[in-house]
Amino acid sequence: MVPGGIFKRRPNHNNTPESITLIIANFIVFIVAMQLFANCTKINTFFWVVLGALGVYNFFSIRKYREDYGKPQVIAYIVSLIALILLFVLLRSRPQSC
């Protein structure tokens, strides 16, 4: 069956780095905001409010866990921000059914 120690390795996912959690949260919030507030040809003002709030959350989260952000984590964070921008351009450029 299953070895007994397998479930004791990561209780409550406490070993997930904060940088990975922040990147995943960014993608989830961004995609949900895109689908809800950036429909058709008009981008709702609340979309920009959500992105502003996400930026403030990122600022304070990075500031709180500054010791966890080494060079690889900063590079991954910057690459994820570039991916979010490219995702925005890609989703806005495709034909949309309104």
Side-chain angles (χ1 to χ4, degrees):
M1 294 294 226
V2 178
I6 196 161
F7 296 110
K8 294 180 182 179
R9 287 187 209 153
R10 292 184 59 157
N12 300 325
H13 297 283
N14 290 338
N15 296 334
T16 304
E18 290 299 324
S19 60
I20 300 299
T21 305
L22 182 65
I23 290 171
I24 292 171
N26 284 344
F27 272 96
I28 291 172
V29 170
F30 181 79
I31 291 172
V32 169
M34 242 339 247
Q35 293 299 316
L36 292 177
F37 303 115
N39 299 335
C40 298
T41 58
K42 184 180 184 233
I43 297 176
N44 195 339
T45 308
F46 195 67
F47 175 74
W48 302 113
V49 171
V50 169
L51 286 187
L54 187 62
V56 169
Y57 172 74
N58 283 328
F59 173 76
F60 285 112
S61 179
I62 289 172
R63 199 168 147 213
K64 181 177 180 183
Y65 299 108
R66 181 65 188 134
E67 65 276 354
D68 293 342
Y69 285 88
K71 190 173 182 177
Q73 288 82 10
V74 171
I75 291 172
Y77 178 74
I78 292 171
V79 168
S80 73
L81 290 181
I82 292 170
L84 286 176
I85 293 169
L86 291 175
L87 184 65
F88 178 77
V89 170
L90 177 71
L91 291 177
R92 295 294 298 164
S93 66
R94 67 178 168 85
Q96 300 172 357
S97 60
C98 298

